[in-house]
Amino acid sequence: MEIIHIVLGKANPDRMNGVNKVVYQLATKQVEFGEKISVWGIAKDKDINYDERNFETCLFIKKTNPFGIPAEMEAAIIEKKNKAIFHIHGGWVPVFSSIGKLLHKHNLPFVFTPHGAYNTIAMRRSFWSKRLYFSLFEKKMLQNATKIHCIGKSEMVGLKCILKNEKAVLVPYGFENNVDISFENSKNENIIFGFIGRLDIYTKGLDTLIIAFKKLIKKHPNAQLWIVGDSNEKNKLNKMIIENELSKNVTLFGGKFGVEKENLLMQMDVFVHPSRNEGLPTSVIEAASYGKPCVVTDATNIGDLISEYQSGETIYNQDSKELCKSMTKFAMIWKNQNDFTEIRRNAVKMVKENFNWKKVVQEFNSKLYKA
């Protein structure tokens, strides 16, 4: 049976859109393990602005009506009856509610992955408009889905608050790093903390990070903070950096991809992700796979593993004092490279043991597609 992933975009891993990155990785690995996979993307154009891949990509032009299904796509969906199972990626997307209705009408099975959309924090933002939209559109799609795939425990909790169901399944995504990790002592003159991701100041907790870092440099005046990412909030974030007199210590790199991003990540000493709301942040898993100790909030849904493997620090309140305390702890540990290296090894071990793609693909087959 063919598995067809449906996304907004082109599943381009070299974009800030985390859903597209995850779908690209998932589809690639499913093909490597013998699955028949296609990705259908709804996009503004059909330009091939991505590298060669091992799965088929079908692109459909997005309609002006946010609920409108491209005519070519509708015909293609109907033609797949008894030939495929569909997997829709992303919550609060109007066209996906229409696609879900079409799939149900023609008795086509589909799995739905909200990608963190139903976390309790996410639900608080635009609460009343989301509540209305949910009752009119999203709820029906969830009821019609064969399975609802959650990637973090906070989303399981949030989902139960809005819809009682027996369809929800918790399965993380996998991650693989083929780079040989060197555990040599840091070559940095001063410790470098780093963040990589979309510059959503509130959701990613970047406001908390700036305040916490300002507190930290009172004791460690030469510490550095590298922020890699982009969005329309970049200027606002830069203004925060200037207003807090952090321009000498904080570098805002903008969006970086591929080798450029990897080179920056490899130079960082400690990765910081103080998010208020997440599904499962690929950036944290990737940083850990490079042997970077991670300081995260519990909202990232990876904090329990980080604590279990002693591969970083987890804070349970979105609080600048708590974040500063954890970052200061690592600024001290960093001075003893033997202890610091042990934490780095723990981070790599955590990723290898918990995000193994072979295991993840098997769980998708047994818990989502064939259950």
Side-chain angles (χ1 to χ4, degrees):
M1 182 74 74
E2 181 181 10
I3 300 166
I4 298 174
H5 297 285
I6 298 180
V7 296
L8 283 184
K10 303 175 183 179
N12 191 338
D14 292 331
R15 293 291 183 271
M16 294 310 298
N17 186 310
V19 174
N20 274 246
K21 291 180 182 180
V22 167
V23 172
Y24 170 83
Q25 293 167 2
L26 173 60
T28 299
K29 288 300 172 183
Q30 285 176 319
V31 172
E32 289 181 10
F33 290 111
E35 304 295 333
K36 185 179 181 182
I37 302 295
S38 296
V39 172
W40 291 8
I42 301 174
K44 295 179 180 179
D45 58 64
K46 292 187 178 183
D47 296 342
I48 308 300
N49 57 354
Y50 46 81
D51 294 335
E52 186 176 346
R53 46 187 56 175
N54 66 359
F55 54 85
E56 181 183 8
T57 305
C58 298
L59 300 178
F60 304 92
I61 300 297
K62 183 179 180 181
K63 298 188 75 172
T64 304
N65 178 358
F67 289 91
I69 306 173
E72 291 181 2
M73 186 178 199
E74 184 169 345
I77 287 173
I78 295 171
E79 195 276 329
K80 288 291 182 179
K81 186 167 184 177
N82 300 322
K83 300 176 184 176
I85 182 168
F86 289 85
H87 192 153
I88 301 174
H89 296 267
W92 311 116
V93 180
V95 68
F96 288 171
S97 68
S98 300
I99 291 173
K101 187 183 297 183
L102 178 67
L103 291 168
H104 179 67
K105 178 181 177 181
H106 293 277
N107 295 313
L108 284 158
F110 71 95
V111 173
F112 178 63
T113 303
H115 288 274
Y118 303 142
N119 285 346
T120 51
I121 299 298
M123 290 296 293
R124 290 177 196 163
R125 300 185 77 179
S126 306
F127 175 77
W128 291 110
S129 59
K130 280 184 175 178
R131 184 173 180 176
L132 177 61
Y133 179 89
F134 182 82
S135 64
L136 293 175
F137 306 106
E138 203 91 346
K139 182 178 180 180
K140 196 66 177 178
M141 181 170 64
L142 293 175
Q143 290 173 333
N144 291 336
T146 309
K147 291 291 179 180
I148 304 168
H149 169 223
C150 296
I151 55 180
K153 64 178 184 179
S154 63
E155 187 160 54
M156 291 285 285
V157 173
L159 178 61
K160 288 180 180 179
C161 292
I162 58 176
L163 181 73
K164 293 182 179 180
N165 72 94
E166 301 296 328
K167 299 178 180 180
V169 178
L170 178 60
V171 183
Y173 282 121
F175 191 87
E176 184 175 81
N177 188 346
N178 295 317
V179 176
D180 290 330
I181 306 302
S182 171
F183 291 101
E184 296 177 357
N185 290 352
S186 174
K187 296 178 182 179
N188 298 326
E189 185 176 346
N190 301 292
I191 188 170
I192 298 176
F193 294 92
F195 168 90
I196 298 175
R198 178 170 50 88
L199 302 186
D200 182 330
I201 294 173
Y202 179 83
T203 301
K204 302 298 182 182
L206 297 178
D207 51 344
T208 305
L209 177 57
I210 294 298
I211 296 169
F213 187 71
K214 185 177 181 178
K215 298 176 190 289
L216 179 136
I217 61 172
K218 291 179 180 179
K219 292 184 178 180
H220 302 275
N222 296 316
Q224 297 293 307
L225 173 61
W226 290 3
I227 299 177
V228 180
D230 208 350
S231 78
N232 57 9
E233 295 188 15
K234 182 180 176 182
N235 291 336
K236 182 179 178 181
L237 181 61
N238 190 48
K239 185 179 179 182
M240 289 175 61
I241 293 168
I242 294 169
E243 288 176 345
N244 284 280
E245 300 179 340
L246 294 173
S247 298
K248 292 182 179 179
N249 297 79
V250 180
T251 304
L252 198 55
F253 284 90
K256 300 294 179 183
F257 305 97
V259 175
E260 274 191 294
K261 185 195 75 173
E262 289 175 8
N263 287 339
L264 290 172
L265 177 55
M266 290 174 74
Q267 292 177 69
M268 296 174 183
D269 293 304
V270 177
F271 194 81
V272 187
H273 199 94
S275 181
R276 290 182 171 89
N277 169 49
E278 288 287 351
L280 185 64
T282 306
S283 59
V284 176
I285 302 171
E286 182 177 23
S289 78
Y290 276 88
K292 305 301 174 183
C294 297
V295 177
V296 303
T297 53
D298 184 47
T300 59
N301 291 307
I302 195 173
D304 289 347
L305 280 176
I306 285 173
S307 297
E308 178 185 342
Y309 279 80
Q310 298 181 14
S311 57
E313 191 94 350
T314 302
I315 62 172
Y316 293 88
N317 293 303
Q318 230 291 336
D319 180 83
S320 62
K321 291 182 180 178
E322 290 296 315
L323 182 58
C324 178
K325 182 179 177 181
S326 293
M327 292 171 70
T328 301
K329 175 180 176 179
F330 276 98
M332 297 302 295
I333 295 174
W334 180 78
K335 294 179 180 179
N336 184 330
Q337 284 294 309
N338 288 334
D339 292 345
F340 192 73
T341 298
E342 184 63 27
I343 299 171
R344 294 181 64 202
R345 291 185 186 277
N346 291 343
V348 172
K349 182 181 179 183
M350 178 189 73
V351 174
K352 287 183 176 179
E353 291 186 357
N354 292 276
F355 300 96
N356 179 283
W357 266 118
K358 185 175 182 180
K359 177 185 175 183
V360 169
V361 169
Q362 289 173 344
E363 284 196 74
F364 268 62
N365 287 338
S366 63
K367 296 181 179 181
L368 296 177
Y369 302 138
K370 295 178 181 177

